[in-house]
Amino acid sequence: MPETDLLRQLTDLFREAGPAHHRAYLDTDGADPEWPLWYADFLHERLGKLLGARFTRSELVYLLVCADKEQALHAPGADWPSYYARFFAERYGA
């Protein structure tokens, strides 16, 4: 899959995950201090298929936390779905 297609698909997946998480935590207005756990469950299968990668949910939690920390350090305020898409594509993209 060409890199631009992969980035678009990854960005779309992360864009879908954001509102789904917010709906799941509607009672707390989306606040969830353990958000990487929810996202790992939501993304695990589809992210693995898109990337052609195998990782455990625990590994995915770690990667999501790393992406969050890197974005906060290197690109605060950046569009997080796009940033996360690049983060994962750089590590797992073909």
Side-chain angles (χ1 to χ4, degrees):
M1 168 182 332
E3 185 176 338
T4 55
D5 287 345
L6 177 61
L7 284 174
R8 182 186 47 76
Q9 289 179 10
L10 289 169
T11 300
D12 289 347
L13 178 58
F14 285 114
R15 284 201 198 290
E16 178 186 346
H21 177 261
H22 192 80
R23 283 190 302 276
Y25 286 85
L26 197 55
D27 290 343
T28 60
D29 196 30
D32 174 19
E34 296 291 339
W35 65 267
L37 300 173
W38 186 94
Y39 275 81
D41 282 340
F42 184 87
L43 296 167
H44 185 254
E45 186 176 321
R46 291 188 286 171
L47 191 57
K49 284 181 184 176
L50 273 177
L51 296 169
R54 296 181 64 149
F55 36 73
T56 65
R57 280 182 177 77
S58 297
E59 290 169 322
L60 184 51
V61 166
Y62 170 79
L63 291 166
L64 290 165
V65 170
C66 287
D68 182 60
K69 301 289 185 194
E70 281 191 20
Q71 180 187 0
L73 182 63
H74 300 293
D79 178 64
W80 78 265
S82 298
Y83 190 92
Y84 282 42
R86 284 189 305 276
F87 177 91
F88 279 89
E90 288 172 0
R91 284 153 182 80
Y92 293 97

